[in-house]
Amino acid sequence: MGKITVIGVGPGSKDYITPIAEKKIQESEVLIGGKQQLALFPDQKTKMEIGKNLDIVVEFIKKNRDKKIAVLTSGDPGFYSILGLILNNFSKKDIEIIPGISSVQLCFAKAKEMWHDAWFMSLHGRETTGLIKQAKKHRKLAILTDQHMPPNIIATWLIENGIKSRRVVVCEDLSRPDEKVLESNLEEVSKMTFSRNCVMVIIDEMGI
């Protein structure tokens, strides 16, 4: 049986795909990934687009175990990705993981900040449980947002719960041609609108 290689392809642009990731993708016989990730590799013949029903992905992999399979994830596989599903359904000895550059890493680079001391949270389809507690506890927050919980709603929620004096960096569509990087504060961000593809970095500079 071939390996199941889970590959991080970065935040969106092909510029951020590592050489080892490119090599493993070219060696694969089957590509599995989201629409945007698969579009980066139009020459690959056998593909499966990941939809909402992840059980179908597992069954597809099981039926193609005789082939070299590459499962593409945005950013890094170890950070809120389909890797968890793969680890839960297949043996680790059959899995190879190729790290990638996450949107959080790139957002911190745009903000010109270290990120080893940040607290991370994804609000992709998740509740804000614990957000206020962590915002009060940590000087730096990094939040992945979606269309249901965009940066302006998060900023409003934080303000309403007594958190106001924070520097905010919002990165939209990172590494793509229409990339936007906004540096502001919670009050200003609460009045704006954003796309669905955002990373939000919140920094308490008074806590330095």
Side-chain angles (χ1 to χ4, degrees):
M1 292 191 294
K3 285 277 187 182
I4 304 168
T5 306
V6 185
I7 304 171
V9 295
S13 167
K14 209 163 185 179
D15 292 340
Y16 285 91
I17 300 174
T18 64
I20 184 64
E22 286 266 18
K23 180 176 182 290
K24 292 292 182 178
I25 290 167
Q26 294 306 321
E27 291 175 351
S28 69
E29 299 170 273
V30 177
L31 277 191
I32 300 171
K35 183 177 182 179
Q36 291 181 332
Q37 287 79 54
L38 293 176
L40 295 169
F41 304 96
D43 296 334
Q44 297 292 108
K45 292 181 180 179
T46 305
K47 299 180 184 179
M48 179 192 181
E49 184 177 329
I50 297 173
K52 292 183 179 180
N53 188 344
L54 297 181
D55 290 338
I56 294 176
V57 177
V58 173
E59 290 306 312
F60 181 82
I61 293 173
K62 288 179 178 179
K63 290 178 181 178
N64 288 276
R65 290 293 286 111
D66 59 324
K67 301 181 177 68
K68 294 181 180 178
I69 298 172
V71 182
L72 309 184
T73 76
S74 62
D76 180 85
F79 191 70
Y80 295 106
S81 84
I82 198 170
L83 174 59
L85 178 77
I86 304 301
L87 290 172
N88 286 336
N89 286 276
F90 300 95
S91 172
K92 286 186 178 180
K93 68 180 177 59
D94 296 327
I95 299 170
E96 181 180 19
I97 302 169
I98 306 298
I101 298 172
S102 74
S103 57
V104 167
Q105 286 175 277
L106 186 52
C107 189
F108 271 103
K110 298 289 183 180
K112 298 179 176 63
E113 291 282 348
M114 301 286 284
W115 56 277
H116 65 275
D117 54 345
W119 182 79
F120 304 96
M121 183 177 194
S122 173
L123 293 180
H124 282 289
R126 294 176 172 87
E127 298 296 325
T128 57
T129 304
L131 175 58
I132 302 304
K133 178 182 177 181
Q134 299 301 333
K136 292 178 178 178
K137 182 178 178 181
H138 297 278
R139 194 175 74 82
K140 296 177 185 175
L141 302 178
I143 303 173
L144 301 179
T145 74
D146 65 12
Q147 67 269 35
H148 302 297
M149 192 60 65
N152 53 300
I153 298 298
I154 296 168
T156 300
W157 177 255
L158 290 171
I159 292 169
E160 288 176 349
N161 283 271
I163 298 169
K164 298 179 180 179
S165 300
R166 297 289 190 276
R167 174 186 169 214
V168 181
V169 178
V170 179
C171 296
E172 295 186 77
D173 298 314
L174 273 168
S175 82
R176 302 181 189 280
D178 51 352
E179 172 187 282
K180 295 178 184 176
V181 179
L182 167 75
E183 185 164 348
S184 188
N185 55 59
L186 287 173
E187 184 176 354
E188 292 302 315
V189 170
S190 70
K191 301 172 185 176
M192 301 176 181
T193 57
F194 298 91
S195 77
R196 58 185 294 179
N197 299 312
C198 291
V199 182
M200 188 178 189
V201 169
I202 304 169
I203 303 169
D204 178 8
E205 295 193 315
M206 298 299 291
I208 295 175

